[in-house]
Amino acid sequence: MAFRMIAFCGLLGLILFISSCGCREDEFGEQMIIEVPVSTYPDQDTFQVGDTLWVECLFPKVLSVKDANGKIVLEDFEFRTSLGFSEVSDTIEQFDSELEVLERIGTVDILPLATALVYPIGIVEDTMHYQFKAGFVLSEPGLYWFFFNTPDYLYEDYEHPVMYTCGRNRRSSVNFFHQNPATSEEGYQRLISETNVEYIPELTELEEYKGGGCLTFRVLE
């Protein structure tokens, strides 16, 4: 009887020790989608060659998480975000129109990829907010698809507390939903109905379009 009591106490002590070394996982889970407020203006579906599309970010360090009640704090966080413009009126998506950039807050780089041309942006952090502002001068006529892109694979080796649910338990993915007031279902339907690039209607869903803070617009001569 005494041996059983000693064994029970030893087991209880081991459980308490393990529990004290652990931690409680947060509510956001293994796959987290952070909602990032962004804006583009002027809010219109037709531009003229020479017009400027302005892109702006101004948001606090406490952000909402999609499908969760709580909020998450992003302090000293590196947003690895790019902007994309593709011309989609023909059967091939064209990325080769390099735009004049007007930097106001933060930085804009130009990154030619094998099948695309993207604009990585540098979002500036201050004591309370993250900020970015730049204008893109539209130089060629056509039907354009504009989007924000923050690929989760760019964070596979990124070290930051937000990448973990608890202790050293790393999330399987951290994604971003770009909340742009100018993004609309009408813009999505226009992209799907007017583009001649076959794979865009097949592969692009409305939720993905919204999460990219996307726009569809024409540029006229």
Side-chain angles (χ1 to χ4, degrees):
M1 182 69 176
F3 176 80
R4 289 182 180 178
M5 181 61 68
I6 292 172
F8 173 79
C9 291
L11 179 60
L12 179 60
L14 179 61
I15 292 173
L16 292 174
F17 174 78
I18 293 174
S19 298
S20 67
C21 293
C23 62
R24 181 179 178 183
E25 293 194 356
D26 63 35
E27 64 178 293
F28 307 121
E30 294 290 329
Q31 298 177 316
M32 182 171 64
I33 302 176
I34 301 172
E35 298 178 338
V36 179
V38 299
S39 63
T40 54
Y41 55 90
D43 185 0
Q44 57 195 52
D45 58 14
T46 304
F47 292 83
Q48 299 289 325
V49 168
D51 287 348
T52 300
L53 176 68
W54 290 95
V55 180
E56 189 167 2
C57 304
L58 177 59
F59 52 87
K61 296 183 179 182
V62 180
L63 294 172
S64 298
V65 175
K66 200 169 188 300
D67 301 323
N69 293 322
K71 293 179 181 289
I72 197 159
V73 179
L74 291 185
E75 190 79 39
D76 299 322
F77 189 81
E78 181 181 336
F79 287 90
R80 299 177 174 180
T81 301
S82 295
L83 307 178
F85 294 81
S86 64
E87 205 286 317
V88 295
S89 60
D90 203 348
T91 56
I92 299 174
E93 195 172 3
Q94 301 285 350
F95 293 89
D96 56 357
S97 179
E98 187 173 313
L99 304 176
E100 179 185 354
V101 180
L102 309 175
E103 293 180 334
R104 294 295 181 265
I105 302 172
T107 59
V108 181
D109 292 323
I110 299 174
L111 178 61
L113 302 176
T115 58
L117 177 69
V118 297
Y119 298 84
I121 64 174
I123 299 176
V124 177
E125 180 181 8
D126 62 26
T127 56
M128 298 293 293
H129 300 90
Y130 289 95
Q131 298 183 70
F132 170 82
K133 182 178 180 180
F136 295 82
V137 182
L138 306 172
S139 58
E140 299 287 340
L143 176 67
Y144 284 86
W145 178 14
F146 164 84
F147 51 88
F148 291 80
N149 186 32
T150 310
D152 59 353
Y153 65 81
L154 294 180
Y155 290 92
E156 289 178 353
D157 299 320
Y158 183 57
E159 289 298 325
H160 189 279
V162 77
M163 306 304 294
Y164 294 85
T165 65
C166 171
R168 301 307 296 172
N169 182 24
R170 192 176 181 90
R171 301 184 202 277
S172 60
S173 67
V174 174
N175 288 288
F176 299 86
F177 191 97
H178 303 91
Q179 295 179 311
N180 184 358
T183 300
S184 66
E185 185 171 352
E186 290 77 15
Y188 170 76
Q189 295 298 340
R190 185 180 188 191
L191 173 66
I192 298 303
S193 63
E194 295 188 21
T195 183
N196 288 309
V197 182
E198 291 185 358
Y199 61 80
I200 290 179
E202 295 174 359
L203 301 180
T204 307
E205 298 182 353
L206 176 59
E207 190 68 7
E208 179 186 1
Y209 184 89
K210 290 181 176 179
C214 297
L215 306 174
T216 307
F217 58 85
R218 281 199 177 274
V219 178
L220 305 177
E221 288 279 12

